[in-house]
Amino acid sequence: MEKRRIKNSRYITGIDGVRTLAVIGVIFYHLMPSYLPGGYLGVPILFVISGYLITDLLRQEWQQNEKIGVLKFYIRRLKRLYPSLVTVLVISTAYITLFQRNLLNNLRGAVLSSLLYVNNWWQIDHGLSYFDRFGNESPFTHLWTMAVEGQNYLIWPILFIFLMKFVKRRDWIFYALSIAALLSAIGMAVGFTPGEDPTRVYYGTDTRIFSILIGNALAFIWPSTRLKTEIPDSAKRILNIAGLASLFMLVVSFIFMDDRFSFPYYGGIYLVSLITAVLVAVTSHPGASLNRWLTNPVFSYLGKRSYGIYLYQFPVMIFYEAKVNVATNVWLHVLIEFALILLCSELSYRFIEEPLRKFDYKKTWKKIKDWFALPALSKEKAVGIAGFVVVLIATIGVATAPSNYVDANQEEFQEEIQANKQAAQKSKNDGEKAEAENDEEEETQDTATDENILQTYSNDTDHVMEKYDLTENQVKRARSTEVTAFGDSVLLGSTKNIQEIFPDAVIDADVGRQLYDSVDLLQELKDEDNLKENVVIALGSNGYADEAQFDDLMNVIGNRKVYLINVRVPTQRWQNDNNTLFKKMDDKYKRVTLVDWYDLSNPNNNWFREDQVHPTDVGRVEYTSLLAKAILE
């Protein structure tokens, strides 16, 4: 008689509580990053859990059978993970094909790389950023984690067999895996460059596998079926204190370990993984109390559905936020999105995950034949036809999706951005050169007649007055007004407009720039004597800002006059928070003048491109006119 696969396996109910903590952290990191800036740490928590549970089961199978059924392992993993993944890819692709066709670009690569569990490397190869929600809109961004886990599932059973056959001693295996995890974490630290996008080290299997390896290592020295239920009170007390302390440290990390800091990449995520290992170890011990404390109906419900919750979070957020202005009534939209994510995960759990995990795929052909024999008006027939239509639409979407396509509007915008970048760079480099040219012009003034110069100046003044609704006196004063404009892509797009009014303006702007990474850049401008008496700050379109960050900027700027432009980003939650902060800074600093771009522009959708953030030609004129009047009046 064939043995059961694993005789004495334990289901550790408290692990569902840890999973709940992790997945809630990740979701609210995406929904409300200013409130939970370290929520992304839910991912290494899930990795550690995955590494521990999978290795613990492999160890039990090896102990029982002295072998591992590798093919059966792959089949079990695919039956557990693939149906839900395929479902979310198909439904999302069909939705994009019908209702959000702007996301079709490179869709085929995103879908195929997700199905093959190489999405993390595909995103790295395409230069996509996990941290740029504004510029990297995709319902599949988060599937990089599935790729890392899938690659681990492919390699780990084979490596496990090798270790058990040739290393054998569990303590040596533990040390080897711990060293490999440490090397992976060192790889993250070495590959990280402060001030640059950390996506390569955040996505890379080589620089993220340490969390899974820590879980793998733990299973060799802390096997769940070898832990005693009855232990001394002193040992129980130590375990409970360690478990509660690790739980507390993870919660604190969620609140304070912002992904914008360097610390997470210089060992912070590795440290969180080690703390998670302590939490998992204590939760797994039947002699400790933490398993019981983390077991309740809510945690059990969410923990069992955590895979579906994780899968559906990004599609729900991307599709919902594209249709709804989430900047107003922020918490209402957070609750709605969270409810939609739970609804999708519940449907997935009931009708996809559980049925197909238990389904005997040998009976697939019989099921198909039985379906054709059903009455035409039966519920099963209707569901089958609807499913076929969705798959067909998704297939058409994938087949017709363009690769690296840039439409006329996008091409025009990119060309404008590049031209304005060159103009902005030139404005920084030409300070001393301009002074030299002025001296030379004075010496050679007699080569041109005074009449020609006056006529040219008059024509230019008339043009600027009419275009930007300025008085002659304002235009004349603008010629001698020193301005430094510092900001993001919204400011960058208006570079040439600003230079029409303020010819000597120094402009330093870049795509994706945020308040938190601007202090050093402003200091560079100051050191180069490019920080003039009037400083324009145009930040806040790309993410949350806070008062401490603004205070740091003001310390660099010193006593110069500051013109602070607020933001219009109706598709992002940080719009209102940032504008509230900027109003507060206007009240706090006497030398700050608030330029209310939001109030002027918000009723005028025709001033903006499709993203409702970057101004068109008309919008740029209005933007520049508002700024110029604030400076010159």
Side-chain angles (χ1 to χ4, degrees):
M1 182 177 178
E2 186 179 355
K3 295 180 181 179
R4 291 173 55 193
R5 187 173 71 86
I6 298 176
K7 292 179 180 178
N8 301 316
S9 181
R10 291 173 54 215
Y11 185 85
I12 307 165
T13 54
I15 293 295
D16 284 333
V18 184
R19 282 198 185 103
T20 299
L21 169 71
V23 78
I24 293 297
V26 172
I27 288 176
F28 278 92
Y29 163 72
H30 291 131
L31 288 175
M32 298 295 292
S34 65
Y35 291 90
L36 208 64
Y40 66 97
L41 296 168
V43 170
I45 293 175
L46 292 171
F47 279 171
V48 172
I49 292 172
S50 173
Y52 176 74
L53 294 180
I54 288 297
T55 305
D56 192 49
L57 289 171
L58 288 174
R59 190 199 55 76
Q60 292 175 50
E61 185 176 351
W62 182 271
Q63 183 181 1
Q64 177 180 288
N65 303 330
E66 296 186 352
K67 64 179 182 179
I68 298 295
V70 175
L71 181 59
K72 290 181 178 179
F73 173 86
Y74 292 153
I75 292 172
R76 287 195 301 272
R77 288 290 86 202
L78 286 175
K79 288 180 69 174
R80 169 69 181 89
L81 302 175
Y82 223 58
S84 296
L85 176 64
V86 171
T87 301
V88 78
L89 288 170
V90 168
I91 292 175
S92 298
T93 300
Y95 181 90
I96 289 170
T97 305
L98 293 176
F99 305 113
Q100 207 162 333
R101 296 183 64 82
N102 62 302
L103 298 181
L104 277 173
N105 195 25
N106 289 322
L107 181 66
R108 182 163 53 251
V111 169
L112 293 178
S113 65
S114 298
L115 290 172
L116 296 172
Y117 288 114
V118 291
N119 180 266
N120 61 328
W121 294 112
W122 181 83
Q123 291 198 57
I124 290 171
D125 183 59
H126 282 72
L128 303 178
S129 172
Y130 181 71
F131 303 93
D132 185 9
R133 269 293 304 277
F134 184 69
N136 179 30
E137 188 181 40
S138 169
F140 306 134
T141 297
H142 63 314
L143 296 184
W144 73 270
T145 60
M146 303 293 106
V148 173
E149 287 211 62
Q151 292 157 36
N152 176 66
Y153 292 146
L154 178 66
I155 297 170
W156 177 236
I158 299 170
L159 183 58
F160 178 90
I161 294 171
F162 174 85
L163 292 171
M164 296 303 290
K165 279 183 174 292
F166 298 103
V167 179
K168 297 182 180 179
R169 287 185 53 173
R170 285 193 297 251
D171 56 342
W172 287 6
I173 295 174
F174 169 79
Y175 294 136
L177 293 174
S178 298
I179 292 170
L182 180 60
L183 291 174
S184 172
I186 291 172
M188 170 177 273
V190 171
F192 173 73
T193 302
E196 294 185 7
D197 190 296
T199 295
R200 166 60 185 89
V201 295
Y202 194 82
Y203 276 166
T205 309
D206 53 339
T207 51
R208 288 308 302 268
I209 197 69
F210 59 80
S211 299
I212 297 177
L213 290 174
I214 287 171
N216 292 343
L218 178 64
F220 283 96
I221 61 168
W222 204 265
S224 65
T225 54
R226 297 287 189 91
L227 303 173
K228 296 179 180 179
T229 304
E230 300 296 330
I231 59 174
D233 289 342
S234 59
K236 183 174 184 177
R237 191 178 307 112
I238 291 171
L239 284 174
N240 288 341
I241 291 173
L244 289 174
S246 62
L247 182 60
F248 174 76
M249 285 188 282
L250 290 178
V251 172
V252 169
S253 298
F254 276 20
I255 298 171
F256 294 108
M257 198 183 293
D258 199 311
D259 62 50
R260 298 173 297 184
F261 300 155
S262 295
F263 176 66
Y265 313 100
Y266 285 141
I269 299 176
Y270 176 74
L271 180 61
V272 165
S273 302
L274 292 176
I275 294 170
T276 302
V278 174
L279 179 60
V280 169
V282 176
T283 304
S284 302
H285 202 298
S289 305
L290 206 62
N291 184 55
R292 175 166 50 84
W293 293 342
L294 289 174
T295 300
N296 60 63
V298 174
F299 284 179
S300 178
Y301 177 89
L302 294 174
K304 285 182 171 61
R305 290 155 181 79
S306 59
Y307 179 55
I309 291 172
Y310 187 87
L311 281 180
Y312 281 96
Q313 58 168 322
F314 253 75
V316 167
M317 287 187 282
I318 294 297
F319 298 149
Y320 183 86
E321 292 169 16
K323 305 298 181 182
V324 178
N325 183 345
V326 297
T328 56
N329 298 315
V330 171
W331 280 105
L332 173 63
H333 294 300
V334 166
L335 292 174
I336 291 173
E337 289 182 69
F338 188 60
L340 289 173
I341 292 168
L342 290 181
L343 175 62
C344 292
S345 64
E346 174 64 21
L347 295 174
S348 175
Y349 184 78
R350 287 194 182 191
F351 300 111
I352 303 296
E353 290 180 48
E354 284 298 290
L356 293 182
R357 184 173 64 85
K358 301 171 183 176
F359 181 66
D360 183 359
Y361 284 86
K362 295 178 182 177
K363 299 179 180 178
T364 301
W365 180 241
K366 181 178 182 302
K367 278 282 186 182
I368 293 173
K369 289 194 296 184
D370 291 345
W371 180 83
F372 278 103
L374 291 171
L377 298 179
S378 65
K379 180 177 72 175
E380 292 83 357
K381 202 87 166 189
V383 171
I385 292 172
F388 175 78
V389 171
V390 171
V391 171
L392 180 62
I393 294 171
T395 303
I396 292 172
V398 169
T400 59
S403 297
N404 300 318
Y405 172 71
V406 179
D407 63 27
N409 288 331
Q410 291 171 329
E411 185 175 8
E412 178 191 10
F413 181 56
Q414 289 177 7
E415 289 175 355
E416 286 177 358
I417 287 293
Q418 289 304 316
N420 281 306
K421 273 188 176 182
Q422 292 174 7
Q425 185 61 44
K426 190 173 185 297
S427 75
K428 290 194 293 180
N429 295 338
D430 281 359
E432 294 182 4
K433 182 180 176 182
E435 290 183 11
E437 288 176 349
N438 287 337
D439 293 339
E440 185 178 345
E441 284 176 9
E442 289 178 6
E443 294 176 2
T444 59
Q445 190 69 42
D446 56 349
T447 60
T449 67
D450 290 343
E451 287 185 11
N452 288 339
I453 293 173
L454 289 172
Q455 184 62 45
T456 302
Y457 182 82
S458 176
N459 291 341
D460 186 45
T461 300
D462 291 342
H463 168 73
V464 173
M465 287 169 55
E466 182 179 355
K467 183 174 181 179
Y468 296 101
D469 188 29
L470 299 174
T471 67
E472 183 176 0
N473 182 51
Q474 286 174 327
V475 175
K476 288 179 178 177
R477 284 195 290 115
R479 305 299 181 191
S480 58
T481 299
E482 291 190 330
V483 175
T484 295
F486 182 89
D488 52 33
S489 57
V490 177
L491 178 73
L492 179 62
S494 299
T495 295
K496 292 185 176 180
N497 300 79
I498 294 171
Q499 289 176 330
E500 277 192 287
I501 302 174
F502 303 99
D504 296 328
V506 173
I507 299 175
D508 187 326
D510 201 3
V511 176
R513 180 175 288 171
Q514 297 198 46
L515 201 68
Y516 73 86
D517 61 2
S518 297
V519 172
D520 291 341
L521 297 173
L522 269 177
Q523 186 63 53
E524 285 181 21
L525 284 175
K526 188 175 183 179
D527 294 341
E528 295 165 355
D529 199 27
N530 274 328
L531 202 58
K532 305 303 181 182
E533 286 305 308
N534 298 284
V535 180
V536 176
I537 298 295
L539 296 166
S541 296
N542 297 297
Y544 282 97
D546 62 45
E547 186 170 351
Q549 295 163 0
F550 193 84
D551 289 341
D552 290 340
L553 286 188
M554 293 302 292
N555 287 335
V556 175
I557 293 170
N559 293 322
R560 296 168 177 83
K561 294 179 181 178
V562 175
Y563 298 89
L564 179 61
I565 308 177
N566 63 12
V567 298
R568 185 198 195 262
V569 200
T571 58
Q572 302 297 343
R573 291 179 175 81
W574 53 74
Q575 172 192 271
N576 290 3
D577 285 352
N578 285 357
N579 286 344
T580 300
L581 171 69
F582 294 159
K583 179 65 175 69
K584 182 179 178 181
M585 295 302 97
D586 179 40
D587 296 334
K588 179 176 180 178
Y589 292 97
K590 291 183 179 180
R591 61 187 188 276
V592 170
T593 298
L594 182 67
V595 182
D596 197 349
W597 171 239
Y598 172 80
D599 190 53
L600 176 68
S601 66
N602 196 46
N604 299 287
N605 288 335
N606 59 312
W607 289 3
F608 296 92
R609 293 182 174 275
E610 291 181 359
D611 60 16
Q612 290 299 300
V613 178
H614 294 95
T616 59
D617 289 341
V618 174
R620 287 196 296 270
V621 169
E622 297 291 344
Y623 180 88
T624 308
S625 174
L626 177 69
L627 174 60
K629 288 174 181 177
I631 295 173
L632 297 169
E633 287 179 356

